[in-house]
């Protein structure tokens, strides 16, 4: 069972990196919309695991994406931020429920899952585009990018989420 | 001591987060002011090979269009060659050449970020070095920034850090070509003095000040122009000839005299 967990996560990790790099980084919808579906890794990662390992793993995930897309360490910074903030976001969305042993993402309501995913994406994109554009003079550009790309990422993540849903165990 | 250890244990996640965040911020901010890191870039062995494989699969889909482009270019070059007055074999003496050209293929292209890099499938093995110019059949593309054995990354002209010498065609009024990260088919030409007469549709080409590109390589046409804040220079919007979203075959230009030119300029600046 334990090894199964690791196996699934390794597969998920490498598939998400490849899909992100080879498909979604080339989408360029309307010339600038490249959804970042690899955030699903943070969304799907088991809740009751070692938190430090999770943060480190997220950093590596972001760095892998950076490595391919020549963006320095911007993806890594954004990903490590949502990985660190994930427990706080979960407490906000699911209430105290999520502290119980029996809590599973699949058991939460649709609205809760949606809010959780949307918050992860918005925080990630805010950090990402602030760092990428890196000037307050272009605040409007940052907001435009955050808004439109968050929307695209959210739609695609929801589609992927329903295609490969986490099994209700 | 006990308390310090307790403190560290209690906040170990936060400390880890802080450490990783500072690490990535360090990398990022460093790259804003200096060159792209020579370590984290897609010319590396793993990234290059994955892109190469994916390129090998997808490149078949637009072979027709690419062939068309190459035939078109051949036609143009033939026309130039046949209409040249002096016999052309004397020109091909390799000792007199200033520029050598090699070819390459784009295996990764970006144009949606503020700092775009392109990866090509030629590297140190093909004697590609940083600071060589990259052009296509239609116009300029960028400058080589990092190389590995088999691959190289190109700083695209669609990069905020890009700054290329350019001029109005058939004049010697020159300025700098930069990009404001807004649209992928328009770049900006700045520092052209106000007294220069401009017409919409004028052609912009590379200038002779650069030791990277040969003179008179096409860039684009003037789309719009107005005065800058100080009212003494033009801000010109240049529509690119190149379709930056659809690039495959590129040429790498090497100026043989570049080392000599830069050495001389450095020496002059020292004095």
């Amino acid at each position: 069972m334990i090894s199964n967990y690791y196996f699934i996560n390794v597969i998920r990790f490498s598939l998400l990196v490849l899909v992100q790099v080879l498909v979604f980084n080339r989408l360029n919808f309307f010339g600038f919309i490249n959804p970042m579906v690899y955030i699903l890794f943070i969304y799907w990662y088991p809740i009751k695991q070692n938190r430090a390992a999770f943060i480190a793993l997220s950093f590596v995930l972001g760095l892998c994406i950076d490595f391919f897309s020549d963006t320095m360490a911007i993806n890594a910074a954004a990903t490590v931020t949502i990985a660190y903030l994930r427990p706080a976001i979960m407490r906000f969305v699911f209430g105290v429920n999520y502290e119980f042993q029996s809590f599973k993402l699949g058991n939460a309501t649709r609205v809760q899952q949606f809010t959780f995913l949307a918050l992860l994406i918005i925080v990630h994109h805010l950090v990402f585009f602030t760092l990428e554009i890196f000037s307050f003079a272009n605040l409007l550009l940052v907001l435009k990018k955050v808004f439109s790309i968050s929307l695209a990422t959210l739609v695609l993540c929801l589609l992927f989420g329903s295609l490969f849903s986490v099994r209700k165990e | 001591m006990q308390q310090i250890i307790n403190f560290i244990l209690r906040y170990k996640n936060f400390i880890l987060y802080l450490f990783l965040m500072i690490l990535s911020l360090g990398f990022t901010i460093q790259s804003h002011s200096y060159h792209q890191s020579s370590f984290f870039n897609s010319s590396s062995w793993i990234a290059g090979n994955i892109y190469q494989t994916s390129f090998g699969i997808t490149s078949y889909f637009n072979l027709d269009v690419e062939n068309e482009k190459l035939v078109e270019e051949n036609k143009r070059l033939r026309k130039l060659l046949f209409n040249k007055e002096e016999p052309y074999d004397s020109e091909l003496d390799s000792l007199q050449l200033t520029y050598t050209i090699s070819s390459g293929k784009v295996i990764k292209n970006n144009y949606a970020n503020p700092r775009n890099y392109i990866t090509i499938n030629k590297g140190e093995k093909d004697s590609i070095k940083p600071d060589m110019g990259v052009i296509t059949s239609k116009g300029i593309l960028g400058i080589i920034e990092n190389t590995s054995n088999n691959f190289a990354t190109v700083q695209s002209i669609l990069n905020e850090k890009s700054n290329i010498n350019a001029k109005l065609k058939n004049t010697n009024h020159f300025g700098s070509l930069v990009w404001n990260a807004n649209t992928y088919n328009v770049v900006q030409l700045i520092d052209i003095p106000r007294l220069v007469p401009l017409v919409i549709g004028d052609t912009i080409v590379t200038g002779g000040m650069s030791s990277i590109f040969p003179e008179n390589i096409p860039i684009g046409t003037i789309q719009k122009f107005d005065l800058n804040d100080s009212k003494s220079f033009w801000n010109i919007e240049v529509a690119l000839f190149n379709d930056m979203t659809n690039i495959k075959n590129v040429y790498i230009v090497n100026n043989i005299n570049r080392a000599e030119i830069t050495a001389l300029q450095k020496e002059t600046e020292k004095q």
Side-chain angles (χ1 to χ4, degrees):
Chain A
M1 194 59 215
I2 295 289
S3 66
N4 196 14
Y5 248 173
Y6 283 117
F7 185 66
I8 285 180
N9 275 315
V10 168
I11 295 281
R12 203 179 267 164
F13 185 100
S14 26
L15 276 184
L16 277 174
V17 169
L18 283 182
V19 164
Q20 177 66 45
V21 167
L22 295 179
V23 180
F24 289 106
N25 270 358
R26 298 181 176 184
L27 206 59
N28 294 312
F29 192 52
F30 288 137
F32 68 97
I33 298 185
N34 291 334
M36 296 181 220
V37 290
Y38 71 93
I39 295 178
L40 278 173
F41 184 81
I42 315 296
Y43 176 69
W44 276 333
Y45 196 82
I47 299 157
K48 300 285 176 304
Q49 294 285 325
N50 183 355
R51 209 176 146 204
F54 173 53
I55 293 178
L57 202 59
S58 308
F59 180 74
V60 175
L61 172 71
L63 215 54
C64 279
I65 305 281
D66 283 322
F67 199 56
F68 280 97
S69 38
D70 293 310
T71 41
M72 300 315 303
I74 308 179
N75 279 300
T79 320
V80 86
T81 307
I82 54 170
Y84 176 71
L85 291 179
R86 194 176 84 149
I89 296 177
M90 288 187 111
R91 202 168 296 127
F92 173 71
V93 175
F94 302 118
V96 279
N97 268 346
Y98 110 98
E99 315 250 351
F100 295 131
Q101 272 302 321
S102 59
F103 179 81
K104 291 246 156 46
L105 195 61
N107 299 339
T109 63
R110 267 287 153 92
V111 180
Q112 283 176 328
Q113 287 180 13
F114 176 84
T115 323
F116 176 43
L117 185 58
L119 279 176
L120 283 183
I121 290 173
I122 288 172
V123 173
H124 177 278
H125 285 26
L126 261 179
V127 176
F128 182 86
F129 289 110
T130 316
L131 283 180
E132 190 193 38
I133 293 165
F134 210 66
S135 82
F136 287 110
N138 289 325
L139 200 65
L140 262 178
L141 183 67
V142 175
L143 290 179
K144 178 188 127 194
K145 280 201 157 184
V146 169
F147 179 72
S148 42
I149 298 177
S150 293
L151 207 65
T153 311
L154 187 63
V155 169
L156 276 165
C157 283
L158 286 175
L159 286 179
F160 269 87
S162 51
L163 267 180
F164 309 99
S165 58
V166 186
R167 269 172 293 136
K168 290 187 182 177
E169 287 159 55
Chain B
M1 195 61 204
Q2 183 73 32
Q3 275 184 334
I4 294 174
I5 292 173
N6 275 342
F7 175 83
I8 290 176
L9 280 180
R10 190 182 308 155
Y11 291 102
K12 69 174 193 297
N13 287 326
F14 181 69
I15 290 168
L16 179 68
Y17 166 67
L18 217 60
F19 171 70
L20 293 176
M21 192 67 183
I22 287 170
L23 199 68
S24 41
L25 281 182
F27 281 134
T28 309
I29 289 167
Q30 185 199 22
S31 83
H32 278 283
S33 40
Y34 299 101
H35 269 219
Q36 180 193 20
S37 142
S38 52
F39 182 64
F40 290 112
N41 67 67
S42 59
S43 74
S44 65
W45 186 80
I46 302 173
N49 275 304
I50 287 178
Y51 278 130
Q52 177 84 317
T53 315
S54 126
F55 171 77
I57 298 165
T58 53
S59 65
Y60 291 100
F61 295 122
N62 48 6
L63 272 186
D64 274 356
V65 183
E66 280 306 316
N67 275 342
E68 201 73 22
K69 270 190 203 164
L70 294 179
V71 168
E72 202 60 40
E73 190 190 10
N74 269 342
K75 223 166 72 187
R76 192 168 55 85
L77 294 178
R78 288 258 173 225
K79 204 171 87 189
L80 281 180
L81 200 59
F82 293 146
N83 291 326
K84 218 167 174 5
E85 277 157 18
E86 64 246 59
Y88 48 81
D89 32 333
S90 67
E91 291 281 305
L92 295 178
D93 182 358
S94 64
L95 285 175
Q96 289 175 10
L97 290 177
T98 337
Y99 296 98
T100 58
I101 307 276
S102 43
S103 70
K105 287 195 166 66
V106 170
I107 56 172
K108 185 214 122 198
N109 186 9
N110 253 2
Y111 50 87
N113 305 331
R115 278 170 293 280
N116 293 301
Y117 293 95
I118 295 166
T119 311
I120 58 173
N121 67 349
K122 288 288 163 73
E124 279 154 28
K125 270 188 193 164
D126 314 280
S127 53
I128 304 295
K129 291 186 197 73
D131 288 334
M132 288 184 178
V134 181
I135 60 176
T136 70
S137 55
K138 286 187 183 158
I140 73 168
L141 189 66
I143 299 169
I144 301 267
E145 179 135 346
N146 271 308
T147 53
S148 69
N149 263 335
N150 295 307
F151 304 100
T153 53
V154 181
Q155 186 192 67
S156 162
I157 41 170
L158 301 184
N159 189 315
E160 283 179 335
K161 288 193 280 176
S162 161
N163 191 341
I164 292 169
N165 181 267
K167 63 171 194 176
L168 288 163
K169 196 178 180 181
N170 297 332
T171 70
N172 281 319
H173 296 295
F174 65 89
S176 315
L177 198 71
V178 294
W179 189 51
N180 63 4
N182 267 345
T183 34
Y184 58 81
N185 46 12
V186 179
V187 292
Q188 283 72 35
L189 180 63
I190 53 171
D191 292 346
I192 297 264
R194 185 182 179 165
L195 52 93
V196 179
L198 295 176
V199 178
I200 286 178
D202 275 359
T203 307
I204 307 291
V205 296
T206 52
M209 312 285 160
S210 141
S211 58
I212 295 173
F213 290 103
E215 212 175 335
N216 291 325
I217 291 195
I219 296 172
T221 53
I222 297 183
Q223 191 185 50
K224 207 176 86 186
F225 56 87
D226 45 40
L227 286 171
N228 71 353
D229 296 339
S230 69
K231 301 286 176 213
S232 49
F233 291 101
W234 293 113
N235 271 344
I236 306 173
E237 304 263 308
V238 182
L240 291 171
F241 286 131
N242 254 332
D243 178 2
M244 296 299 284
T245 63
N246 181 17
I247 295 163
K248 193 161 153 193
N249 288 297
V250 297
Y251 303 102
I252 300 115
V253 186
N254 177 24
N255 185 348
I256 291 172
N257 298 333
R258 180 176 156 80
E260 194 180 330
I261 296 173
T262 43
L264 186 65
Q265 281 171 347
K266 221 173 244 169
E267 205 160 293
T268 318
E269 267 167 31
K270 242 187 255 164
Q271 285 163 4

PDB file of all heavy atoms in Angstrom, chain A residues 100-112:
ATOM      1  N   PHE A 100      -9.465  15.647  10.922  1.00  0.00           N
ATOM      2  CA  PHE A 100      -9.792  14.265  11.318  1.00  0.00           C
ATOM      3  C   PHE A 100      -9.074  13.270  10.433  1.00  0.00           C
ATOM      4  O   PHE A 100      -8.802  13.520   9.271  1.00  0.00           O
ATOM      5  CB  PHE A 100     -11.313  14.033  11.237  1.00  0.00           C
ATOM      6  CG  PHE A 100     -12.081  14.867  12.203  1.00  0.00           C
ATOM      7  CD1 PHE A 100     -13.179  15.605  11.794  1.00  0.00           C
ATOM      8  CD2 PHE A 100     -11.681  14.954  13.540  1.00  0.00           C
ATOM      9  CE1 PHE A 100     -13.881  16.395  12.687  1.00  0.00           C
ATOM     10  CE2 PHE A 100     -12.382  15.738  14.433  1.00  0.00           C
ATOM     11  CZ  PHE A 100     -13.481  16.454  14.005  1.00  0.00           C
ATOM     12  N   GLN A 101      -8.839  12.103  11.029  1.00  0.00           N
ATOM     13  CA  GLN A 101      -8.131  11.045  10.297  1.00  0.00           C
ATOM     14  C   GLN A 101      -8.904  10.599   9.059  1.00  0.00           C
ATOM     15  O   GLN A 101      -8.326  10.269   8.043  1.00  0.00           O
ATOM     16  CB  GLN A 101      -7.913   9.834  11.216  1.00  0.00           C
ATOM     17  CG  GLN A 101      -6.641   9.910  12.026  1.00  0.00           C
ATOM     18  CD  GLN A 101      -5.400  10.045  11.169  1.00  0.00           C
ATOM     19  OE1 GLN A 101      -5.288   9.434  10.124  1.00  0.00           O
ATOM     20  NE2 GLN A 101      -4.462  10.878  11.594  1.00  0.00           N
ATOM     21  N   SER A 102     -10.228  10.597   9.167  1.00  0.00           N
ATOM     22  CA  SER A 102     -11.028   9.979   8.100  1.00  0.00           C
ATOM     23  C   SER A 102     -11.230  10.897   6.912  1.00  0.00           C
ATOM     24  O   SER A 102     -11.821  10.503   5.917  1.00  0.00           O
ATOM     25  CB  SER A 102     -12.398   9.586   8.658  1.00  0.00           C
ATOM     26  OG  SER A 102     -13.023  10.733   9.156  1.00  0.00           O
ATOM     27  N   PHE A 103     -10.717  12.135   7.002  1.00  0.00           N
ATOM     28  CA  PHE A 103     -11.006  13.086   5.932  1.00  0.00           C
ATOM     29  C   PHE A 103     -10.333  12.697   4.613  1.00  0.00           C
ATOM     30  O   PHE A 103      -9.160  12.368   4.563  1.00  0.00           O
ATOM     31  CB  PHE A 103     -10.561  14.489   6.337  1.00  0.00           C
ATOM     32  CG  PHE A 103     -10.811  15.502   5.268  1.00  0.00           C
ATOM     33  CD1 PHE A 103     -12.070  16.051   5.095  1.00  0.00           C
ATOM     34  CD2 PHE A 103      -9.803  15.875   4.394  1.00  0.00           C
ATOM     35  CE1 PHE A 103     -12.310  16.962   4.090  1.00  0.00           C
ATOM     36  CE2 PHE A 103     -10.042  16.785   3.386  1.00  0.00           C
ATOM     37  CZ  PHE A 103     -11.297  17.330   3.240  1.00  0.00           C
ATOM     38  N   LYS A 104     -11.121  12.712   3.549  1.00  0.00           N
ATOM     39  CA  LYS A 104     -10.561  12.452   2.211  1.00  0.00           C
ATOM     40  C   LYS A 104     -11.058  13.545   1.271  1.00  0.00           C
ATOM     41  O   LYS A 104     -12.205  13.986   1.379  1.00  0.00           O
ATOM     42  CB  LYS A 104     -11.050  11.097   1.685  1.00  0.00           C
ATOM     43  CG  LYS A 104     -10.478   9.916   2.427  1.00  0.00           C
ATOM     44  CD  LYS A 104      -9.582   9.100   1.517  1.00  0.00           C
ATOM     45  CE  LYS A 104      -8.561   8.295   2.280  1.00  0.00           C
ATOM     46  NZ  LYS A 104      -9.108   7.586   3.439  1.00  0.00           N
ATOM     47  N   LEU A 105     -10.212  13.934   0.330  1.00  0.00           N
ATOM     48  CA  LEU A 105     -10.585  14.987  -0.616  1.00  0.00           C
ATOM     49  C   LEU A 105     -11.829  14.588  -1.407  1.00  0.00           C
ATOM     50  O   LEU A 105     -12.709  15.388  -1.674  1.00  0.00           O
ATOM     51  CB  LEU A 105      -9.415  15.248  -1.570  1.00  0.00           C
ATOM     52  CG  LEU A 105      -9.488  16.522  -2.373  1.00  0.00           C
ATOM     53  CD1 LEU A 105      -9.524  17.720  -1.445  1.00  0.00           C
ATOM     54  CD2 LEU A 105      -8.307  16.624  -3.306  1.00  0.00           C
ATOM     55  N   GLY A 106     -11.896  13.287  -1.751  1.00  0.00           N
ATOM     56  CA  GLY A 106     -13.017  12.800  -2.549  1.00  0.00           C
ATOM     57  C   GLY A 106     -14.347  12.898  -1.825  1.00  0.00           C
ATOM     58  O   GLY A 106     -15.404  12.897  -2.454  1.00  0.00           O
ATOM     59  N   ASN A 107     -14.296  12.959  -0.466  1.00  0.00           N
ATOM     60  CA  ASN A 107     -15.551  13.001   0.283  1.00  0.00           C
ATOM     61  C   ASN A 107     -16.106  14.409   0.458  1.00  0.00           C
ATOM     62  O   ASN A 107     -17.244  14.572   0.870  1.00  0.00           O
ATOM     63  CB  ASN A 107     -15.353  12.389   1.676  1.00  0.00           C
ATOM     64  CG  ASN A 107     -14.940  10.939   1.566  1.00  0.00           C
ATOM     65  OD1 ASN A 107     -15.175  10.314   0.541  1.00  0.00           O
ATOM     66  ND2 ASN A 107     -14.321  10.422   2.604  1.00  0.00           N
ATOM     67  N   ALA A 108     -15.246  15.406   0.163  1.00  0.00           N
ATOM     68  CA  ALA A 108     -15.715  16.786   0.331  1.00  0.00           C
ATOM     69  C   ALA A 108     -16.728  17.118  -0.755  1.00  0.00           C
ATOM     70  O   ALA A 108     -16.807  16.427  -1.777  1.00  0.00           O
ATOM     71  CB  ALA A 108     -14.536  17.744   0.244  1.00  0.00           C
ATOM     72  N   THR A 109     -17.504  18.170  -0.528  1.00  0.00           N
ATOM     73  CA  THR A 109     -18.507  18.534  -1.533  1.00  0.00           C
ATOM     74  C   THR A 109     -17.820  19.148  -2.748  1.00  0.00           C
ATOM     75  O   THR A 109     -16.688  19.594  -2.685  1.00  0.00           O
ATOM     76  CB  THR A 109     -19.510  19.553  -0.965  1.00  0.00           C
ATOM     77  OG1 THR A 109     -18.788  20.734  -0.651  1.00  0.00           O
ATOM     78  CG2 THR A 109     -20.214  19.020   0.256  1.00  0.00           C
ATOM     79  N   ARG A 110     -18.563  19.187  -3.830  1.00  0.00           N
ATOM     80  CA  ARG A 110     -18.055  19.735  -5.085  1.00  0.00           C
ATOM     81  C   ARG A 110     -17.590  21.181  -4.906  1.00  0.00           C
ATOM     82  O   ARG A 110     -16.528  21.579  -5.373  1.00  0.00           O
ATOM     83  CB  ARG A 110     -19.176  19.692  -6.146  1.00  0.00           C
ATOM     84  CG  ARG A 110     -19.157  18.448  -7.000  1.00  0.00           C
ATOM     85  CD  ARG A 110     -17.992  18.538  -7.958  1.00  0.00           C
ATOM     86  NE  ARG A 110     -17.519  17.213  -8.360  1.00  0.00           N
ATOM     87  CZ  ARG A 110     -17.951  16.574  -9.439  1.00  0.00           C
ATOM     88  NH1 ARG A 110     -18.837  17.125 -10.207  1.00  0.00           N
ATOM     89  NH2 ARG A 110     -17.472  15.401  -9.751  1.00  0.00           N
ATOM     90  N   VAL A 111     -18.439  21.960  -4.212  1.00  0.00           N
ATOM     91  CA  VAL A 111     -18.130  23.380  -4.035  1.00  0.00           C
ATOM     92  C   VAL A 111     -16.827  23.549  -3.285  1.00  0.00           C
ATOM     93  O   VAL A 111     -15.985  24.384  -3.620  1.00  0.00           O
ATOM     94  CB  VAL A 111     -19.291  24.081  -3.292  1.00  0.00           C
ATOM     95  CG1 VAL A 111     -18.981  25.550  -3.094  1.00  0.00           C
ATOM     96  CG2 VAL A 111     -20.579  23.907  -4.058  1.00  0.00           C
ATOM     97  N   GLN A 112     -16.639  22.708  -2.238  1.00  0.00           N
ATOM     98  CA  GLN A 112     -15.410  22.799  -1.447  1.00  0.00           C
ATOM     99  C   GLN A 112     -14.189  22.455  -2.300  1.00  0.00           C
ATOM    100  O   GLN A 112     -13.175  23.156  -2.254  1.00  0.00           O
ATOM    101  CB  GLN A 112     -15.502  21.868  -0.242  1.00  0.00           C
ATOM    102  CG  GLN A 112     -16.371  22.438   0.854  1.00  0.00           C
ATOM    103  CD  GLN A 112     -16.528  21.479   1.995  1.00  0.00           C
ATOM    104  OE1 GLN A 112     -16.523  20.263   1.802  1.00  0.00           O
ATOM    105  NE2 GLN A 112     -16.674  22.014   3.190  1.00  0.00           N
TER     106      GLN A 112
END
